[in-house]
Amino acid sequence: QVQLVESGGGLVQAGGSLRLSCTASRTIFTIIVMGWYRQAPGKQRELVATITNGGSTNYADSVKGRFTISRDNAKNTVHLQMNSLKPEDTAVYYCAGKDSPLQGDYPYWGQGTQVTVSS
């Protein structure tokens, strides 16, 4: 098991930036896929970005070119750098992890951090 704790959320004006961090309670070296998801009020949770242990990344079309996911296995941390934020990016952002890309669901989730972008 592993606990994931997100931080770095807050209120920002449109066009601004935030950097989210996800810190794990143990090494993430064996957690092959780490990801960020988000859920806006009244909407389903959606994928934002994922990163594998080898550094391969995947982004939702809505955030490509604006968001960057990275991981530091030595510090058990995953980051999400969010630039050029838009009001539609407002959501609770969740960190997630799974031990194999073949797993359907993510077994590890954080509690979420609120991101609010004002217009």
Side-chain angles (χ1 to χ4, degrees):
Q1 276 294 343
V2 62
Q3 281 74 50
L4 303 176
V5 179
E6 301 96 338
S7 61
L11 173 64
V12 65
Q13 288 187 332
S17 298
L18 282 175
R19 188 187 193 214
L20 304 184
S21 297
C22 170
T23 302
S25 59
R26 64 161 176 82
T27 180
I28 63 171
F29 183 77
T30 57
I31 304 177
I32 303 303
V33 183
M34 295 292 298
W36 287 95
Y37 283 73
R38 67 187 181 187
Q39 187 167 20
K43 295 188 177 181
Q44 290 188 331
R45 189 176 297 185
E46 64 175 1
L47 168 72
V48 176
T50 62
I51 185 168
T52 69
N53 203 18
S56 296
T57 58
N58 180 51
Y59 295 93
D61 288 343
S62 59
V63 306
K64 282 181 181 177
R66 301 188 297 122
F67 291 11
T68 303
I69 188 171
S70 61
R71 65 189 288 168
D72 186 338
N73 290 340
K75 295 183 178 179
N76 303 334
T77 303
V78 179
H79 299 289
L80 185 68
Q81 178 66 43
M82 306 186 294
N83 299 328
S84 301
L85 282 161
K86 304 175 181 179
E88 51 263 44
D89 295 317
T90 295
V92 178
Y93 283 70
Y94 298 90
C95 177
K98 56 183 177 180
D99 299 313
S100 169
L102 300 179
Q103 283 181 297
D105 296 327
Y106 283 79
Y108 313 129
W109 288 90
Q111 82 289 350
T113 186
Q114 177 70 47
V115 171
T116 303
V117 184
S118 63
S119 58

